[in-house]
Amino acid sequence: MDKTHLILTFAHRGEAQSFLKELPFKSIAQDHYQWDDGAIIRSLIITGEGLENTTLKLAKTLGDQSANHLINLGICGHIPRAGEEFSIGQVIQVRTAMKAESTNDLVFKSYTTSSDTKLKLPQADLISTVNRVLDKKNHAKFSPFASLVDREAWAIGLVADHYQTPFSVIKVISDFADGEFCQMVKDDALIWSDSLLREYLKWEALLLDQEKESDESFTQDFPELYLTVSQERTLSNLLKALRLKGREVSSLKEETNYNEICAQKIHPKKKSKIFLESLKDILNPLEKELRDRLSQQTKLLSQAGFQVRFDQGFEKEVLHLNISLENEEEYKRAIRALEQYDFKKFQKTIRGDLLV
Amino acid sequence: MFSRILIENEVKDLPTTQKILKRFPSLPYQFIDRIDDVFGRVKKPYLQKRQNLQLFLGKKRGQLVKEAPDAYGLAGEPHYYFIHAYNCIYECEYCYLQGYFHSPDIVLFLNHDEIAIEIQNTLSRHEGTVWFHAGEFSDSLALTHLTGELPFYFDLFRKFPHAKLELRTKSANTRELLKQTPCPNIVTSFSLSPQERIKKTDLKTPSLKHRLLAMRELQEAGFPLGIHLDPIIHEDNFEESYQSLFAEMDHYLDLTSLEYISMGVVRFTSNVFHQVKKNYPDSELLAAEFSSSFDGKVRYPRPFRQWILGKIRDIALGYDVSPEKVYLCME
């Protein structure tokens, strides 16, 4: 996936009208539009109302083409609750999307959006309901959990989770979830779609800034190395961990004798391997100390032909030895090595007698 | 601190409830039937505690006193914990509460009388010393100025000298405790770490100095104290850090009169470790030399743990702490 791909989902065309009017989206299939500006592909999907429609449409789209981020935009109902009272037309960023099968049946699984405080929108939690909430009688059941209701956002979370894609939800409040909304939605649809577009553009700018930052490769500081894909991933992980420990690239180059490794006349992949091993030793000094000690202690056994293994995590004072003997000479050498082996020393090491 | 209060109908008229409501006059509140109807019903991300922390007041139902796991406290005596709260106002990066309740909201149970009955029932099944720990799922002192249960537990444990109560805390909120008359079988234990470590990982907790000052005040007033050096997190200079920590502890406290010093090395269930990765992607804990251990927990391999604990134990003994007062927690 070279270009950044963003998927915008709306339940109804009315919610998307400003996007389709103001931005150069082109229809590529029914209810599916795309705008490719060379660097970013934006897919706009009209899913239809409800959790099932949203799940089906979005899962199909993501199955066809993966995305960097999903965003659901649209209207939602508001159940005012203590400390969270919004007004009609206000734009809200959703924090967590929950699902209610009915007023008495909230689903445990919730999905947390990648809400961004830099967007400076109020944040709130939302419940996606199977049926429309049209009666104030239901409010008391929902209000301890969330102050927004819709019929799609949870499904976006479900699909996003399945495809391990981050998602966001931005909603404009259209009604108070009491049944009095249809005419208002019609009248104000364009204004609300404009509000959503305005916030979407801010959201997109922030997202792309963040992606640019995270795209800065950890590995660019080591142009002399030839790295396989797997080695590149290992290097990236090691450098990330070392940075968490406050280590700078310049000092790591010095500590690992980076220039000397690069100057060696060996296979490029081998150079990278040596360098990665050195980084691992810097990241895990205790493990290196333990490994060196045990390797020193079992040198005789290895020389006699034993394969030596230890308990995983060294929790048990167990030494696993494996050997194939083909003649009496090998047998005698193995016995001699075993007789000379200092098991107590091994036990002391496992019990924490480290030199570090 | 809180965004709203949710109150079980059954406790709405209790004096503690009224006291808390008076304490937060502008905070919105709502009545609910049962805490269980709302708390943990839907997964709520841990870090929402920063923007949207709710306070629940209600009654604890079900098992009120539970047996503590092995190696929880001083060896040779039975240990139990009782549950009077869920979750904590602090935010330690290694905290196991991240993966425990599926919600960071604070729950305060107000039916201390029922907890007391259960403590007495438990006591009746034993003859010798029995330990009861408060603070398994919360900090024992951090909110005591709101909850006001300390006099109740002091009165209770004064009646049962063979029962020991441990109040575990990272706070320096000892105001309510100091109003009590010290009781030899009620031990207040403070979790301490080197200041640099507190700054890095024990977010929103009081500084080491504030905790030590609070401890000194308690010790001078005659309150029995314990110390938990838990979790110990390895760093290159950990020996010097713990040398300095002991020097500071020694400066403020009489270490020889402590009830105990427990030591435990940082550990996580795999679920909690996953939460740490999610919640604190820049934490240096994620660069530590952990491996999966004998009990499925993520921790340092045994030789490292033993080595770290041995070093710190030696430092403690160097300050004349008697060896039988030093125990290893969860090892």
Side-chain angles (χ1 to χ4, degrees):
Chain A
M1 192 169 54
D2 298 317
K3 290 182 192 174
T4 297
H5 182 208
L6 307 176
I7 298 181
L8 294 71
T9 74
F10 297 83
H12 301 285
R13 192 169 301 273
E15 294 166 325
Q17 56 184 301
S18 296
F19 291 72
L20 294 171
K21 195 172 140 201
E22 304 290 339
L23 303 174
F25 278 103
K26 284 182 184 153
S27 174
I28 58 164
Q30 193 185 353
D31 296 331
H32 191 163
Y33 300 83
Q34 212 164 63
W35 165 30
D36 182 349
D37 67 4
I40 305 160
I41 303 172
R42 299 161 187 87
S43 297
L44 188 155
I45 300 162
I46 310 292
T47 58
E49 189 172 319
L51 292 157
E52 282 175 8
N53 282 331
T54 308
T55 308
L56 287 172
K57 281 254 173 81
L58 190 56
K60 186 184 177 313
T61 309
L62 265 174
D64 291 344
Q65 190 182 6
S66 60
N68 299 74
H69 208 109
L70 309 176
I71 180 165
N72 172 235
L73 300 129
I75 56 168
C76 71
H78 176 39
I79 297 173
R81 65 169 179 168
E84 264 175 29
E85 285 165 18
F86 303 122
S87 49
I88 302 276
Q90 207 170 345
V91 183
I92 314 287
Q93 197 178 183
V94 173
R95 240 178 347 224
T96 297
M98 308 168 204
K99 179 190 176 187
E101 298 279 2
S102 67
T103 45
N104 289 317
D105 191 8
L106 262 93
V107 173
F108 172 72
K109 186 84 187 155
S110 65
Y111 297 102
T112 301
T113 66
S114 319
S115 57
D116 192 334
T117 47
K118 286 186 200 149
L119 202 54
K120 290 179 184 153
L121 283 176
Q123 296 192 356
D125 298 329
L126 173 147
I127 301 173
S128 296
T129 58
V130 170
N131 299 306
R132 281 187 180 180
V133 181
L134 299 172
D135 195 335
K136 271 189 172 173
K137 276 185 218 158
N138 297 324
H139 290 193
K141 294 278 184 189
F142 287 150
S143 63
F145 297 94
S147 63
L148 306 178
V149 285
D150 85 337
R151 303 199 56 225
E152 291 83 27
W154 187 87
I156 313 282
L158 172 74
V159 179
D161 187 56
H162 180 76
Y163 286 99
Q164 299 195 328
T165 307
F167 81 108
S168 300
V169 179
I170 296 178
K171 294 285 186 183
V172 60
I173 291 175
S174 61
D175 59 274
F176 289 106
D178 53 7
E180 292 174 20
F181 73 109
C182 283
Q183 191 51 46
M184 284 167 64
V185 169
K186 253 187 180 170
D187 296 344
D188 293 322
L190 180 61
I191 298 168
W192 293 338
S193 185
D194 269 351
S195 302
L196 289 171
L197 174 59
R198 208 166 288 126
E199 295 306 332
Y200 169 78
L201 293 172
K202 288 183 206 162
W203 173 87
E204 188 189 279
L206 280 171
L207 179 83
L208 296 176
D209 272 357
Q210 283 164 7
E211 288 211 337
K212 209 172 147 195
E213 273 171 37
S214 66
D215 270 357
E216 280 178 17
S217 170
F218 278 126
T219 56
Q220 68 193 3
D221 294 314
F222 306 95
E224 297 84 357
L225 288 181
Y226 164 77
L227 296 158
T228 63
V229 174
S230 144
Q231 283 177 327
E232 191 169 319
R233 200 178 311 127
T234 306
L235 177 60
S236 177
N237 290 338
L238 283 167
L239 290 174
K240 193 176 171 208
L242 283 160
R243 282 183 190 188
L244 291 178
K245 280 190 160 181
R247 308 301 291 262
E248 298 292 334
V249 168
S250 53
S251 75
L252 291 173
K253 280 187 170 176
E254 214 168 290
E255 277 182 75
T256 54
N257 294 321
Y258 177 72
N259 290 337
E260 283 173 34
I261 295 173
C262 291
Q264 284 184 45
K265 289 193 169 32
I266 50 173
H267 194 279
K269 199 173 152 188
K270 185 109 187 268
K271 285 184 200 176
S272 304
K273 197 180 168 203
I274 295 171
F275 177 61
L276 292 176
E277 289 301 326
S278 309
L279 285 181
K280 265 183 211 164
D281 288 345
I282 295 170
L283 180 65
N284 304 315
L286 294 177
E287 191 192 312
K288 181 184 182 316
E289 167 69 20
L290 184 64
R291 210 177 48 230
D292 288 352
R293 277 205 130 198
L294 291 173
S295 152
Q296 185 61 34
Q297 287 171 16
T298 53
K299 201 172 167 185
L300 269 179
L301 294 172
S302 305
Q303 283 170 348
F306 284 102
Q307 283 180 347
V308 185
R309 278 193 307 110
F310 306 96
D311 181 54
Q312 198 192 350
F314 306 97
E315 291 300 328
K316 292 179 192 158
E317 294 166 9
V318 180
L319 198 61
H320 300 273
L321 299 174
N322 194 353
I323 194 166
S324 303
L325 301 170
E326 289 183 6
N327 54 53
E328 198 181 352
E329 185 55 35
E330 287 181 356
Y331 168 75
K332 281 183 180 166
R333 199 171 54 192
I335 294 294
R336 269 200 306 275
L338 283 173
E339 279 171 354
Q340 285 174 35
Y341 184 67
D342 189 346
F343 194 78
K344 276 193 181 154
K345 208 170 177 183
F346 161 70
Q347 282 180 313
K348 270 181 82 179
T349 307
I350 298 297
R351 287 173 195 174
D353 182 22
L354 301 178
L355 282 175
V356 192
Chain B
M1 185 193 303
F2 300 113
S3 58
R4 70 181 58 78
I5 309 178
L6 294 145
I7 306 159
E8 273 188 0
N9 284 317
E10 239 180 288
V11 303
K12 66 181 176 190
D13 298 323
L14 290 183
T16 312
T17 307
Q18 294 306 316
K19 187 182 142 194
I20 292 171
L21 287 176
K22 264 189 199 152
R23 178 97 193 187
F24 299 106
S26 58
L27 209 59
Y29 63 87
Q30 188 175 340
F31 295 112
I32 53 174
D33 287 339
R34 288 282 187 103
I35 285 175
D36 293 349
D37 293 344
V38 182
F39 178 81
R41 272 287 305 277
V42 180
K43 193 165 172 57
K44 179 172 175 178
Y46 182 71
L47 289 188
Q48 268 198 29
K49 68 193 287 181
R50 292 178 180 171
Q51 310 142 354
N52 179 30
L53 184 67
Q54 303 191 120
L55 173 65
F56 286 81
L57 302 176
K59 281 176 78 170
K60 173 83 177 97
R61 295 169 179 88
Q63 210 177 342
L64 307 177
V65 175
K66 291 186 179 180
E67 202 170 339
D70 289 341
Y72 191 86
L74 279 167
E77 287 157 351
H79 291 263
Y80 293 87
Y81 62 87
F82 60 88
I83 302 157
H84 64 308
Y86 289 158
N87 286 325
C88 180
I89 54 169
Y90 303 133
E91 204 192 299
C92 301
E93 290 185 352
Y94 47 77
C95 183
Y96 64 90
L97 292 171
Q98 286 175 80
Y100 205 87
F101 289 116
H102 308 299
S103 168
D105 289 339
I106 305 270
V107 179
L108 299 176
F109 297 114
L110 307 181
N111 51 329
H112 297 291
D113 47 347
E114 288 173 336
I115 294 172
I117 291 169
E118 201 48 46
I119 286 174
Q120 290 173 68
N121 288 341
T122 308
L123 269 176
S124 67
R125 296 197 295 271
H126 295 278
E127 284 187 353
T129 303
V130 185
W131 282 88
F132 294 90
H133 302 269
E136 175 65 5
F137 297 121
S138 58
D139 188 286
S140 296
L141 293 188
L143 293 176
T144 44
H145 57 296
L146 290 179
T147 51
E149 77 278 13
L150 284 180
F152 177 84
Y153 286 102
F154 268 71
D155 286 348
L156 175 72
F157 279 81
R158 231 182 277 284
K159 286 184 219 154
F160 302 101
H162 66 295
K164 292 209 174 196
L165 169 64
E166 184 195 46
L167 303 165
R168 283 193 184 192
T169 191
K170 275 185 185 151
S171 87
N173 182 16
T174 50
R175 202 172 49 200
E176 295 303 311
L177 190 56
L178 284 163
K179 289 180 189 165
Q180 313 306 313
T181 307
C183 186
N185 57 330
I186 300 180
V187 181
T188 310
S189 65
F190 287 77
S191 296
L192 302 179
S193 298
Q195 176 54 32
E196 272 309 298
R197 175 52 52 198
I198 290 173
K199 216 167 129 185
K200 282 183 201 163
T201 34
D202 297 10
L203 314 180
K204 298 177 189 167
T205 63
S207 69
L208 173 66
K209 191 177 172 188
H210 278 99
R211 286 185 231 181
L212 288 171
L213 282 167
M215 291 175 78
R216 179 165 73 184
E217 206 176 357
L218 287 172
Q219 198 172 53
E220 285 172 356
F223 286 87
L225 297 183
I227 288 178
H228 293 287
L229 300 178
D230 194 356
I232 296 165
I233 295 168
H234 174 263
E235 48 200 329
D236 293 344
N237 63 343
F238 89 94
E239 272 184 87
E240 293 101 273
S241 297
Y242 275 85
Q243 284 282 9
S244 308
L245 174 62
F246 269 90
E248 282 182 83
M249 282 157 50
D250 188 52
H251 175 73
Y252 287 97
L253 305 168
D254 173 10
L255 296 182
T256 58
S257 69
L258 292 172
E259 297 295 306
Y260 47 80
I261 296 182
S262 87
M263 297 176 183
V265 182
V266 67
R267 57 212 171 266
F268 312 86
T269 61
S270 52
N271 183 27
V272 171
F273 196 63
H274 175 74
Q275 289 291 320
V276 177
K277 283 185 192 167
K278 198 171 136 191
N279 295 329
Y280 306 103
D282 295 329
S283 171
E284 65 178 53
L285 289 172
L286 302 177
E289 296 187 58
F290 295 131
S291 68
S292 188
S293 188
F294 63 99
D295 52 2
K297 286 191 177 138
V298 175
R299 41 159 64 115
Y300 300 117
R302 183 182 167 209
F304 307 166
R305 299 201 304 275
Q306 300 290 324
W307 172 68
I308 293 166
L309 291 169
K311 291 281 179 197
I312 297 177
R313 189 171 186 273
D314 287 347
I315 298 172
L317 299 185
Y319 280 87
D320 293 333
V321 177
S322 99
E324 58 272 16
K325 285 187 176 179
V326 178
Y327 73 91
L328 305 183
C329 187
M330 305 305 283
E331 277 295 323

